[in-house]
Amino acid sequence: GELDAKFRLEPITFEKDDDTNHHMELITSMANLRARCYSIQEVDKLQAKLIAGRIIPAIATSTAVATGLVCLELLKVIGGAKVEAYRNTFGNLSLPLFAMAEPIPPKVFKYKDMSWSLWDRWIIEGVDLTVQGLLDWFTAKGLTPYSISAGPSLVWNSLFPKHKERLGKPVLEVVQTFAKLEIPADRKHFDLVVAVEDDDGEDIDIPLVSVKFK
């Protein structure tokens, strides 16, 4: 949709102690939405008010600037603006300095008949997908995987002879056993970092790999 030509932004002064303006209801709900996305403990309105009252002015100022700039970009999204209208902003309040630039598109990687950017994600579905099955998925695309990591832990590497024992095991079992990966009950996938080479033995940067097991 597009914004009405008469649409104008009006500044609002944040006041946490006035319950009639519903500012804290909005702050609490938005904070809890973010907390839920990142498995952070959620808070009630009173706790949110106490936290808001302890924010020091320097942080509040820089946060307000960043939030305002993000909101401006969101308005462009809502208004269907062209990519040239968007801006990346570097701000330093101590100088002060604000520098804006047009965002550049992500680098596109091409290999055989495939193309991707690091913003993409490769999704592989399989409840009983084994480590060997995962490796075969890449091999079928002409890529040679040599390392698989889950979080900070290495779960398989072609250089380690003992890792051959893991090839026939489900990937889910391997990441839970060796990477100690804890997957929330409502989560349907887990992420892996897979290192691969092309036919010439050169490393290729590929997107994050998500394995859906439900």
Side-chain angles (χ1 to χ4, degrees):
E2 295 184 359
L3 297 175
D4 189 277
K6 297 181 180 179
F7 178 81
R8 294 292 183 273
L9 287 175
E10 297 292 341
I12 297 176
T13 302
F14 174 66
E15 177 50 66
K16 65 180 179 62
D17 296 317
D18 182 2
D19 291 336
T20 64
N21 60 22
H22 305 294
H23 288 180
M24 285 312 306
E25 281 89 345
L26 176 64
I27 295 296
T28 304
S29 61
M30 295 182 70
N32 284 335
L33 284 173
R34 181 180 182 277
R36 192 168 299 178
C37 289
Y38 294 96
S39 300
I40 301 172
Q41 183 177 355
E42 299 179 26
V43 298
D44 57 26
K45 178 182 172 184
L46 178 59
Q47 290 174 301
K49 183 181 289 188
L50 291 173
I51 294 171
R54 290 198 297 266
I55 297 177
I56 62 176
I59 294 178
T61 303
S62 59
T63 302
V65 171
T67 303
L69 291 169
V70 169
C71 288
L72 288 175
E73 300 305 308
L74 286 176
L75 286 172
K76 297 174 186 177
V77 174
I78 296 172
K82 296 181 179 180
V83 67
E84 296 82 11
Y86 295 90
R87 291 291 183 271
N88 287 331
T89 302
F90 171 81
N92 189 325
L93 298 180
S94 63
L95 294 178
L97 171 67
F98 287 90
M100 294 185 176
E102 291 185 18
I104 60 175
K107 180 180 178 181
V108 176
F109 297 86
K110 294 184 178 181
Y111 181 70
K112 296 188 175 181
D113 60 343
M114 300 180 293
S115 63
W116 67 86
S117 77
L118 293 182
W119 285 102
D120 292 320
R121 181 184 294 247
W122 287 354
I123 300 175
I124 304 174
E125 299 188 18
V127 177
D128 300 317
L129 179 70
T130 64
V131 174
Q132 184 62 60
L134 178 62
L135 299 179
D136 292 342
W137 188 88
F138 285 96
T139 303
K141 296 182 177 297
L143 297 168
T144 303
Y146 63 86
S147 176
I148 302 174
S149 300
S153 302
L154 179 68
V155 296
W156 179 84
N157 191 287
S158 61
L159 295 177
F160 300 148
K162 290 195 67 175
H163 283 192
K164 290 182 179 180
E165 302 172 359
R166 305 176 184 180
L167 292 176
K169 296 181 179 180
V171 182
L172 178 60
E173 177 186 334
V174 171
V175 298
Q176 289 179 321
T177 302
F178 299 102
K180 308 300 182 184
L181 186 66
E182 296 183 2
I183 304 175
D186 60 342
R187 184 74 59 80
K188 298 181 180 180
H189 75 280
F190 57 89
D191 297 326
L192 300 173
V193 176
V194 182
V196 301
E197 296 176 340
D198 60 17
D199 294 334
D200 298 322
E202 298 292 333
D203 283 348
I204 296 181
D205 291 324
I206 63 171
L208 195 67
V209 176
S210 291
V211 178
K212 293 183 66 175
F213 60 92
K214 288 185 181 179

